[in-house]
Amino acid sequence: MKKIVMFLIALSAATTSHAAPLAPTEDKITPDFVDQAIRLADTRKDSVRRKVTVVVTDLGMSTDISPSSTVYLTYNSNAEMGNLSASFLVADDVFHNLEAKRVAPGIFEISYVTYRDEGGMLKVTKTIDATELYVQDHKMREACGYDFCDGQINASIDVKETSKKAAR
């Protein structure tokens, strides 16, 4: 029993977690630096196409352990009568091994390996709750009377980060 308790204490000490809301970014994603785009959601309802994409930009090669990529979560809601969008810088410290997936409607997860001074090489997982984007999209279209309605969605997303020592 003592070994199990010690194992659980060691495991909890090796994993950290925190959550925070993330506001949209004003950053412009330059096509020259786009390394990868991963479509996480693509739905059509009431003649509106909604897409959630992870866009990975390449920061270039480095001679040390500097990050090599940044990751944006983008939301586009396109219709004949208006286009709405929002972009979020969700990670600017990606070293390698990026994975992204849809966990549930409006919930997405990205994971990657990074280097942080306080912990060395870490496996980071960010769980992103983007459901508020869909809610604000609907409210904006309703406020426009479903007429022409272009613009930026100004809603925050919730990002929960967990990290643990990266496997060697």
Side-chain angles (χ1 to χ4, degrees):
M1 180 69 170
K2 184 177 179 181
K3 287 183 181 181
I4 293 173
V5 171
M6 293 305 289
F7 173 75
L8 292 174
I9 290 171
L11 182 63
S12 67
T15 302
T16 60
S17 177
H18 68 277
L22 184 62
T25 182
E26 296 293 323
D27 291 356
K28 300 298 179 206
I29 302 171
T30 307
D32 305 10
F33 293 102
V34 173
D35 185 48
Q36 187 177 18
I38 305 166
R39 184 66 44 89
L40 298 177
D42 192 341
T43 61
R44 287 181 190 268
K45 182 178 179 189
D46 301 327
S47 73
V48 178
R49 182 177 182 193
R50 293 176 177 89
K51 302 176 285 185
V52 176
T53 307
V54 166
V55 177
V56 182
T57 62
D58 188 343
L59 297 174
M61 303 286 282
S62 177
T63 58
D64 56 12
I65 51 175
S66 297
S68 61
S69 300
T70 56
V71 178
Y72 294 87
L73 183 86
T74 65
Y75 176 87
N76 297 91
S77 174
N78 302 319
E80 183 179 348
M81 299 294 275
N83 302 309
L84 303 173
S85 63
S87 296
F88 302 85
L89 176 61
V90 293
D92 61 358
D93 61 344
V94 177
F95 187 63
H96 62 76
N97 291 359
L98 177 80
E99 297 174 359
K101 65 182 178 180
R102 177 179 176 266
V103 177
I107 310 294
F108 309 98
E109 188 175 274
I110 64 165
S111 59
Y112 58 92
V113 173
T114 192
Y115 177 81
R116 294 188 181 155
D117 289 337
E118 70 277 3
M121 295 304 282
L122 299 173
K123 170 81 174 208
V124 174
T125 300
K126 293 189 177 189
T127 304
I128 303 162
D129 182 345
T131 55
E132 187 62 24
L133 293 173
Y134 294 89
V135 171
Q136 291 303 315
D137 177 350
H138 179 74
K139 286 181 179 178
M140 287 177 74
R141 289 188 186 284
E142 196 173 66
C144 293
Y146 296 93
D147 201 356
F148 287 101
C149 192
D150 290 330
Q152 295 294 309
I153 298 173
N154 192 19
S156 294
I157 58 175
D158 291 321
V159 180
K160 179 183 176 191
E161 177 181 302
T162 57
S163 62
K164 61 182 179 180
K165 286 282 189 189
R168 294 181 184 229

